[in-house]
Amino acid sequence: MNKNIEELRKKINDIDTELIKLLAERRKVSKEVVIAKKESGKPIRDQQREMELLNKIISIGKEYNLDSHFLTKIFYEIIDDSVRLQQKYLQNYKPENDAGILRIAIQGIEGSYSYLASTQFFAHNEEELIFLYKDTFDEVVEAVEKGEADFAVLPIENTTSGGINEVYDLLLHTTLSIVGEEKFQVKHCLIGTQDATISKLTKIFTHYQGASQCSKFLASLPNCEISFYSDTAMSAKKIVEENNPQYGAIASEEAANLFNVKILKRNIANQSENFTRFLVCARKPKEVDLRIPAKTSLVMATSHTPGSLAKAISVFHKYNVNMTKLESRPILGNPWEEMFYLDFEGNTADPEIRQLLDELGKYTRFLKILGTYPSKDIVKTKIDSFADASREPEIEKEEKPVEKELPKKQKVKKSYKLASRDYKPEDTIIKIGDIEIGGDNFIVIAGPCSVESHDQIFACANEAKEHGAHILRGGCFKPRTSPYSFQGLGFEGLNELEAAGKTFGLPVITEVLSPDQVEAVARQADILQIGARNMQNFSLLKAVGRCHRPVMLKRGMMSSLDELLNAAEYILSQGNRQVILCERGIRTFETATRNTLDLSAIPILKELTHLPIIVDPSHAIGQRDKVVPLAKAAKVVGAHGIMVEFHPEPEKALSDPDQALRFDQFEEMMRDLRKL
Ligand code: PEP
Ligand code: MN
């Protein structure tokens, strides 16, 4: 009898070995198929064929008395594996270096969920995986930005506890692109030392996410103190280090095995189907083969106009594109404003999707594409349980084509797009509090050339407010021709400018000189100014393009309007759609004035671009008693506003003393402008 069982077992083992061999053989053929498909340009999946295959399998199964549920379950897995394998062939993740290693930065340690998700994601890679374990998500992103690691793997959302806000906020600012996603089933366990039992526990170490996903179970242990830890594997490690039977932790089964601790209870999460979605980020975006089902993630802020979010979202409907996620987050530093994070099924390499994004851009004041990546949701082919395997499968009904907005014909091909009227026919209106810049509005920006002291900037703010100016200016970082001239008060000056603006209810504008200043200045100023000398400082333009404050871009003193609009394009193409142009005079052969104010630029720019245009007569003419007529001319010629310099004691001004208006001149100018 025993011998018989042994024989039978051997037989089963032989069959299993045979099954494994056949599965391996099937994989090999599947790989040959993808190579053939690559040559023919055919899509990876042929769901019609998959459906026929499944129906056939079910009908063969019936002949052998195998039930269809059992067979479909197995073959879904086989097809899934085959699709993943074929996708991997078209979309591999090679590091930039050729050292045969992949450096992956994660928050946490070996055995953490980020670690487990990474090993799952890179499972088909031949390279050796080297992990860089970091304490915070910030450090993970920084490691890749600096080139210490090739990929950052970051958790973004959990099906029970929701989005991970810190990671969303990081995505907004990072220069990294999303190149992949992974979905990992989280199976939380309660673990302890070898002598521990649930009733003995007095303290449980856990990551806050773990605690929130297992809140119901934890509530059933009212006598246990919860001690928060930076990740789940770390909690497991703590158990080993403390070796106290009264201590428990929430961690994965894998972490429990890795640290050789006892599992006291499995599946303690509120929801048994508990998944975490991870994003894989790299320094450069990765193009996804059009034959692979792809997803794209973006972050946007919609314009301050009624219905703009609805209009933005309707673009997806118009193009028949499926949105898979919409999440909103407050914009740090801009109370009551929201950024929308959106995922949709589509590939930025697809011209239709590019057209969709162009159209979407018209309803946004910030739009950043975070990346296109292969979708982890492998759609299961539906099978019709009543289908007759011999019947020809039905051809899917053709979708009615949706009407698409065709790009308008351009007379001359321009090197800029987002800045042009062809792209966006209606005026861009930039809102800062109650103030609107652009459209039919005319605004006045006034203030000193430089912030010099508390008293000086407060006197200026008072004067500006009293006489109806809308925005307070003041240079804190000054681009001076001579290195020996006053360079500005820096952040000390910015504190005063911000305080003066707040006291008098005026938004403030100040110049930024370098990319590494942008983030800090954007925290305190309402508008960032790019000075004439920096109009083609491309790294600075890109940096302000990534922030969400409006930017006023001054025309370079030797720049054509085409160059000005291309400089604006640098900012717009980084995501920031709130750009104001400023004509401040250009250098000509004329030496009687500081510069030559090019007023003809205004009607030309208004034709070429939808962006608001401000005139700065102060830097143009350079003489205080001739500023006012130019300011009036600017209004007449159609500018959306002016920027002027004034000073309580112009003769004593530390920069540009000759052009600063006296307060009485400013008051007269405001009176005159109102009459026009
Ligand atoms: C300014 O407006 O403070 C300034 C320095 O002007 P510009 O860059 O036009 O010279
Ligand atoms: Mn100045």
Side-chain angles (χ1 to χ4, degrees):
M1 179 74 179
N2 270 354
K3 185 146 191 288
N4 199 8
I5 286 186
E6 235 162 64
E7 257 171 38
L8 291 174
R9 278 193 180 144
K10 187 180 174 306
K11 214 166 172 184
I12 284 188
N13 287 349
D14 291 347
I15 294 172
D16 288 348
T17 314
E18 213 49 44
L19 280 175
I20 292 167
K21 277 189 198 157
L22 286 170
L23 283 173
E25 186 68 21
R26 195 188 191 284
R27 260 198 177 186
K28 232 192 253 162
V29 179
S30 174
K31 193 155 183 188
E32 280 164 27
V33 171
V34 75
I35 294 168
K37 275 186 191 165
K38 192 168 188 181
E39 278 157 16
S40 73
K42 280 205 177 127
I44 286 286
R45 288 194 83 175
D46 181 346
Q47 297 216 338
Q48 200 77 287
R49 203 198 94 74
E50 285 175 23
M51 190 171 82
E52 285 166 21
L53 172 80
L54 283 168
N55 283 336
K56 194 102 204 153
I57 283 164
I58 290 168
S59 101
I60 297 173
K62 277 180 188 153
E63 287 172 29
Y64 290 91
N65 263 341
L66 289 169
D67 62 286
S68 52
H69 174 70
F70 170 63
L71 281 178
T72 15
K73 226 164 85 179
I74 292 176
F75 275 88
Y76 270 151
E77 287 300 325
I78 293 176
I79 292 174
D80 200 273
D81 178 70
S82 181
V83 173
R84 277 181 203 275
L85 192 82
Q86 297 193 349
Q87 288 192 359
K88 267 269 141 51
Y89 180 79
L90 294 177
Q91 193 78 18
N92 53 27
Y93 290 90
K94 293 270 172 240
E96 279 167 31
N97 58 21
D98 235 356
I101 50 166
L102 275 182
R103 298 164 306 165
I104 300 158
I106 59 164
Q107 187 265 323
I109 57 170
E110 188 177 3
S112 63
Y113 283 109
S114 293
Y115 172 89
L116 299 171
S118 307
T119 47
Q120 183 172 302
F121 183 83
F122 292 105
H124 289 76
N125 269 73
E126 284 147 17
E127 290 84 6
E128 183 195 348
L129 304 186
I130 292 186
F131 282 88
L132 281 81
Y133 302 116
K134 302 286 177 186
D135 290 336
T136 64
F137 295 130
D138 264 308
E139 288 166 358
V140 171
V141 167
E142 199 183 289
V144 182
E145 281 177 343
K146 282 188 175 161
E148 289 165 17
D150 304 302
F151 297 99
V153 177
L154 299 158
I156 184 75
E157 60 182 317
N158 177 270
T159 49
T160 314
S161 52
I164 296 158
N165 293 339
E166 280 167 271
V167 177
Y168 275 115
D169 296 340
L170 270 173
L171 287 175
L172 177 60
H173 297 290
T174 179
T175 52
L176 303 185
S177 290
I178 305 173
V179 296
E181 66 169 353
E182 186 56 85
K183 287 183 178 167
F184 190 82
Q185 184 162 17
V186 176
K187 290 181 185 156
H188 290 305
C189 301
L190 179 69
I191 60 168
T193 59
Q194 297 309 326
D195 315 327
T197 60
I198 296 184
S199 55
K200 275 192 207 161
L201 299 183
T202 57
K203 196 174 196 174
I204 295 178
F205 299 99
T206 171
H207 182 246
Y208 74 94
Q209 284 276 341
S212 118
Q213 290 159 27
C214 304
S215 59
K216 287 187 185 154
F217 175 74
L218 289 176
S220 73
L221 304 174
N223 299 328
C224 280
E225 182 196 334
I226 308 296
S227 174
F228 290 107
Y229 244 67
S230 60
D231 81 78
T232 48
M234 209 84 108
S235 316
K237 201 171 168 202
K238 179 82 178 164
I239 292 290
V240 177
E241 283 164 7
E242 296 283 333
N243 194 24
N244 182 337
Q246 293 184 321
Y247 290 171
I250 294 179
S252 66
E253 187 162 344
E254 291 85 348
N257 293 338
L258 195 76
F259 293 103
N260 201 18
V261 288
K262 191 161 102 182
I263 296 176
L264 303 173
K265 193 170 166 60
R266 285 192 166 76
N267 293 331
I268 58 166
N270 301 355
Q271 305 284 327
S272 55
E273 293 276 286
N274 185 20
F275 288 88
T276 298
R277 181 170 165 248
F278 290 83
L279 297 175
V280 182
C281 301
R283 268 184 302 285
K284 287 192 191 130
K286 192 162 169 55
E287 198 164 299
V288 179
D289 192 293
L290 282 169
R291 289 164 293 175
I292 297 176
K295 261 161 80 177
T296 297
S297 295
L298 59 83
V299 52
M300 65 178 190
T302 51
S303 344
H304 281 300
T305 44
S308 62
L309 177 62
K311 279 187 197 152
I313 288 175
S314 70
V315 176
F316 289 90
H317 180 215
K318 182 173 169 187
Y319 282 82
N320 210 11
V321 166
N322 188 26
M323 267 169 52
T324 56
K325 186 178 174 61
L326 178 63
E327 173 103 22
S328 82
R329 286 277 307 138
I331 303 177
L332 302 179
N334 292 27
W336 313 116
E337 288 190 30
E338 299 280 324
M339 278 281 175
F340 298 100
Y341 289 81
L342 207 146
D343 293 348
F344 62 90
E345 287 169 2
N347 188 330
T348 42
D350 175 350
E352 286 242 324
I353 296 293
R354 282 207 292 269
Q355 207 171 314
L356 177 157
L357 292 171
D358 274 353
E359 225 171 292
L360 181 66
K362 294 177 194 174
Y363 306 112
T364 61
R365 63 198 156 88
F366 184 89
L367 176 64
K368 179 181 172 193
I369 309 296
L370 300 171
T372 287
Y373 45 92
S375 170
K376 268 289 135 135
D377 310 301
I378 296 183
V379 186
K380 285 194 169 40
T381 301
K382 285 194 191 72
I383 41 166
D384 178 358
S385 50
F386 299 109
D388 171 357
S390 60
R391 201 182 67 192
E392 280 300 306
E394 254 185 65
I395 309 285
E396 257 187 55
K397 276 196 217 91
E398 240 180 76
E399 288 261 1
K400 234 172 73 194
V402 269
E403 262 182 57
K404 303 271 162 70
E405 202 173 276
L406 291 172
K408 300 217 176 72
K409 282 222 174 77
Q410 295 188 355
K411 280 169 241 130
V412 191
K413 184 101 184 86
K414 299 187 183 92
S415 48
Y416 54 88
K417 178 175 109 182
L418 304 175
S420 74
R421 278 260 187 228
D422 301 324
Y423 168 70
K424 186 175 181 232
E426 60 281 5
D427 284 353
T428 286
I429 295 177
I430 295 170
K431 271 198 172 183
I432 299 145
D434 302 332
I435 296 157
E436 294 190 351
I437 310 175
D440 297 329
N441 307 292
F442 185 83
I443 57 113
V444 175
I445 306 173
C449 180
S450 308
V451 176
E452 297 170 3
S453 67
H454 171 90
D455 290 350
Q456 175 243 22
I457 192 65
F458 272 71
C460 289
N462 179 49
E463 175 69 10
K465 188 70 184 183
E466 198 62 26
H467 297 281
H470 305 84
I471 295 166
L472 178 67
R473 67 150 284 153
C476 302
F477 306 92
K478 296 303 297 176
R480 304 305 300 278
T481 304
S482 160
Y484 308 116
S485 303
F486 174 61
Q487 303 284 309
L489 295 182
F491 285 103
E492 202 183 307
L494 186 51
N495 291 341
E496 293 295 347
L497 178 68
E498 188 191 11
K502 289 235 156 70
T503 305
F504 292 93
L506 291 167
V508 299
I509 177 170
T510 201
E511 180 167 350
V512 267
L513 288 184
S514 73
D516 51 329
Q517 259 174 7
V518 170
E519 227 184 286
V521 176
R523 274 198 285 271
Q524 291 183 270
D526 300 281
I527 310 176
L528 303 180
Q529 177 174 319
I530 300 291
R533 289 153 194 85
N534 273 321
M535 191 201 84
Q536 285 190 320
N537 180 340
F538 299 120
S539 51
L540 181 60
L541 297 178
K542 283 185 187 169
V544 294
R546 287 193 292 268
C547 86
H548 43 262
R549 290 275 188 230
V551 175
M552 187 170 87
L553 175 66
K554 298 190 90 175
R555 179 179 179 183
M557 49 188 109
M558 311 247 261
S559 299
S560 67
L561 296 182
D562 190 70
E563 285 162 337
L564 172 64
L565 291 168
N566 273 296
E569 188 81 9
Y570 262 91
I571 303 171
L572 298 166
S573 62
Q574 290 295 313
N576 191 344
R577 304 295 172 104
Q578 302 192 94
V579 177
I580 305 157
L581 304 174
C582 177
E583 161 60 39
R584 46 78 75 204
I586 47 174
R587 232 175 225 178
T588 64
F589 56 82
E590 185 53 74
T591 52
T593 51
R594 185 175 176 184
N595 290 287
T596 301
L597 182 61
D598 181 10
L599 279 176
S600 47
I602 311 308
I604 301 278
L605 284 172
K606 284 180 85 176
E607 184 177 86
L608 293 173
T609 182
H610 50 88
L611 299 171
I613 303 133
I614 300 289
V615 166
D616 171 356
S618 304
H619 290 87
I621 199 147
Q623 305 163 37
R624 92 178 104 261
D625 53 349
K626 299 180 187 68
V627 168
V628 179
L630 290 190
K632 292 198 281 185
K635 187 170 183 194
V636 171
V637 85
H640 297 106
I642 54 157
M643 177 162 89
V644 290
E645 288 183 352
F646 64 32
H647 196 283
E649 295 172 284
E651 302 73 20
K652 292 190 185 158
L654 296 180
S655 57
D656 289 348
D658 300 339
Q659 70 197 36
L661 295 176
R662 291 188 313 268
F663 283 177
D664 62 308
Q665 289 176 310
F666 172 69
E667 289 157 27
E668 191 188 327
M669 180 193 79
M670 292 303 280
R671 262 198 309 275
D672 287 357
L673 285 174
R674 242 170 252 125
K675 287 187 213 142
L676 293 175

